[in-house]
Amino acid sequence: MLELYFRPMACSLASRIALTEAGIEARYTEVDVTTKKLTESGADFLPLSALGQVPTLRLEDRSLLSENSAVLQYIADRAPNAKLAPPSGTAERYLLQQWLSFVGSEMHKSIVYLIFSPDSNEGALAFARKRAEKSLPVLAKHLAGTPHLLGESFTVADAYLIWALLLLRFSAFELDPAIQDYLGRMLARPAVRDSIALERRLSGR
Amino acid sequence: MLELYFRPMACSLASRIALTEAGIEARYTEVDVTTKKLTESGADFLPLSALGQVPTLRLEDRSLLSENSAVLQYIADRAPNAKLAPPSGTAERYLLQQWLSFVGSEMHKSIVYLIFSPDSNEGALAFARKRAEKSLPVLAKHLAGTPHLLGESFTVADAYLIWALLLLRFSAFELDPAIQDYLGRMLARPAVRDSIALERRLSGR
């Protein structure tokens, strides 16, 4: 069975959404990313993830995979019938990788992370706001013309974007109506709604 | 023929290295990312890339692909004999995606971009230095035990990392001996050396 190391409401939420959408049963092990220990057992997390980051996925052969883009594609490919990623080698698969990278680079690392990281500061926040002024309109324009990032099908790139948008909303970013509409549609999906509700309870928010 | 929209010594250098390593002939079109125009023709770049970012790759069917992780995997898959990426669906392919994401998230967006972006400021620089203190030792430890990011074979993840390390060195970051040794090995590859020499000339550095 797959084991997901996660922190409630951290970006590993995208992996939980993907696993739930895919109907894949998994073990979920909570990490305290401040102490870098597993919450329940108290075991050290750093031997499993040198940067102490979630998501980290333990595969059946005991090997470990990290980084959202890789973990999400792995999960999608485990359950091809759920169609959470276009098949490898198709033009659409490269577009999925493009959007996963857009969410990771522009939304996550250039905005959300700069706001929520313990290393953040005033200048970093100002930088994040400037980046948001540039990239959120691009995202809004794209989402105004498509039900999901990749068109008709929900993919793991949507799972990742949902998490980033939730955190932006939480930090009082003004979201364009096209982005709000998209997020509303996504939050109506049972797997999305249930995953978020569960992690909100766990995070005490 | 593929067409790479690039800026000399920007992260699109990784795509040039990958195309050269793969032996793929391509057209290279320079972008002035400040004015968001094509340097030679003066045509607007924003219709091709809403964020005005390089690399942007135009495929033979005239469609466009952006984001390093996607562009690099596309290039690698175009020339399977060059073995710049493990085959799709293998465990190693997900590890490639992990390292592409590590370079993109941790090296590029969390350090290099915060230093070189026109939106940078003192606080953003301080943030970048704190991130570097955490992620560079993790990278150094990994590179001390392997000739390339993924073991015996040079992959497109190395092409991306080479660029990030060149810019860190340029901005006077102290690089661990294991990272310096790795970079030295990579710079000895003709495709890497020639690509960098060409872009340095174009950038006037």
Side-chain angles (χ1 to χ4, degrees):
Chain A
M1 188 185 279
L2 296 177
E3 180 172 12
L4 180 71
Y5 296 92
F6 80 105
R7 180 196 190 187
M9 296 306 288
C11 61
S12 48
L13 172 63
S15 296
R16 181 190 292 273
I17 290 173
L19 287 163
T20 310
E21 289 276 357
I24 296 173
E25 243 192 296
R27 180 176 300 130
Y28 294 86
T29 301
E30 188 176 332
V31 177
D32 183 330
V33 293
T34 313
T35 62
K36 310 288 185 199
K37 288 185 188 298
L38 305 185
T39 305
E40 200 173 303
S41 69
D44 285 334
F45 182 51
L46 289 177
L48 308 184
S49 162
L51 277 171
Q53 287 175 337
V54 291
T56 293
L57 190 67
R58 190 188 282 284
L59 313 185
E60 273 98 349
D61 66 1
R62 309 296 293 157
S63 66
L64 295 158
L65 191 64
S66 62
E67 297 287 336
N68 287 291
S69 175
V71 169
L72 290 170
Q73 289 187 75
Y74 180 87
I75 292 169
D77 291 340
R78 278 286 293 251
N81 290 340
K83 295 186 191 301
L84 297 178
S88 292
T90 61
E92 290 71 29
R93 180 59 169 248
Y94 298 107
L95 284 179
L96 175 79
Q97 291 166 349
Q98 173 185 304
W99 283 109
L100 282 170
S101 182
F102 175 88
V103 176
S105 297
E106 301 302 330
M107 300 290 117
H108 183 179
K109 288 295 171 174
S110 297
I111 309 178
V112 174
Y113 190 67
L114 290 172
I115 298 170
F116 287 96
S117 166
D119 295 332
S120 189
N121 60 49
E122 286 280 320
L125 288 174
F127 187 93
R129 279 190 293 270
K130 284 202 177 181
R131 290 309 306 159
E133 282 167 21
K134 289 174 188 170
S135 54
L136 285 177
V138 169
L139 180 67
K141 194 173 167 198
H142 180 71
L143 292 178
T146 180
H148 307 90
L149 276 174
L150 256 76
E152 293 308 313
S153 288
F154 178 93
T155 66
V156 287
D158 295 299
Y160 195 11
L161 179 57
I162 291 164
W163 167 78
L165 294 177
L166 280 180
L167 265 72
L168 287 183
R169 198 170 69 171
F170 186 76
S171 47
F173 264 76
E174 201 168 317
L175 297 178
D176 182 280
I179 297 180
Q180 288 185 38
D181 288 353
Y182 164 84
L183 187 55
R185 287 196 302 279
M186 295 303 109
L187 296 177
R189 297 177 71 90
V192 174
R193 192 187 54 214
D194 294 352
S195 297
I196 295 169
L198 193 153
E199 294 215 354
R200 284 186 80 115
R201 276 200 305 280
L202 290 175
S203 75
R205 271 181 192 164
Chain B
M1 188 186 280
L2 296 178
E3 181 173 10
L4 180 70
Y5 295 92
F6 80 104
R7 179 196 191 188
M9 296 307 288
C11 61
S12 47
L13 172 63
S15 295
R16 181 190 292 273
I17 291 172
L19 287 163
T20 310
E21 288 276 356
I24 296 174
E25 243 193 295
R27 180 176 299 131
Y28 294 86
T29 300
E30 188 176 331
V31 178
D32 182 332
V33 294
T34 313
T35 62
K36 310 288 185 198
K37 289 186 187 297
L38 305 186
T39 305
E40 202 174 299
S41 69
D44 284 335
F45 182 51
L46 290 177
L48 308 184
S49 162
L51 276 171
Q53 287 175 338
V54 292
T56 292
L57 190 68
R58 189 188 282 283
L59 314 185
E60 273 97 349
D61 67 1
R62 310 295 294 157
S63 67
L64 296 158
L65 191 64
S66 62
E67 297 286 335
N68 288 291
S69 175
V71 169
L72 290 170
Q73 289 188 75
Y74 180 87
I75 293 169
D77 291 341
R78 279 285 293 250
N81 290 339
K83 295 187 189 304
L84 297 178
S88 292
T90 61
E92 290 72 27
R93 180 60 170 246
Y94 298 106
L95 284 180
L96 175 78
Q97 291 166 349
Q98 173 186 303
W99 283 108
L100 283 169
S101 182
F102 175 88
V103 176
S105 298
E106 300 302 331
M107 299 290 117
H108 183 179
K109 288 295 170 175
S110 298
I111 308 178
V112 174
Y113 191 68
L114 290 171
I115 297 170
F116 288 94
S117 166
D119 297 331
S120 189
N121 59 50
E122 286 281 318
L125 288 174
F127 186 92
R129 279 190 293 270
K130 283 202 178 180
R131 290 309 306 160
E133 281 167 22
K134 288 174 188 169
S135 53
L136 285 177
V138 169
L139 179 67
K141 194 173 167 198
H142 179 72
L143 291 177
T146 179
H148 307 89
L149 276 174
L150 255 76
E152 292 308 314
S153 288
F154 178 93
T155 66
V156 288
D158 295 299
Y160 195 11
L161 180 57
I162 290 164
W163 167 78
L165 294 178
L166 279 181
L167 265 72
L168 287 183
R169 198 170 68 170
F170 186 76
S171 47
F173 264 77
E174 201 169 317
L175 297 177
D176 183 280
I179 297 180
Q180 289 184 39
D181 288 353
Y182 164 84
L183 187 55
R185 287 196 302 280
M186 296 303 109
L187 296 178
R189 297 177 72 91
V192 174
R193 191 187 55 213
D194 295 351
S195 297
I196 295 169
L198 193 154
E199 295 215 353
R200 285 187 79 116
R201 276 200 304 279
L202 289 174
S203 75
R205 271 183 191 163

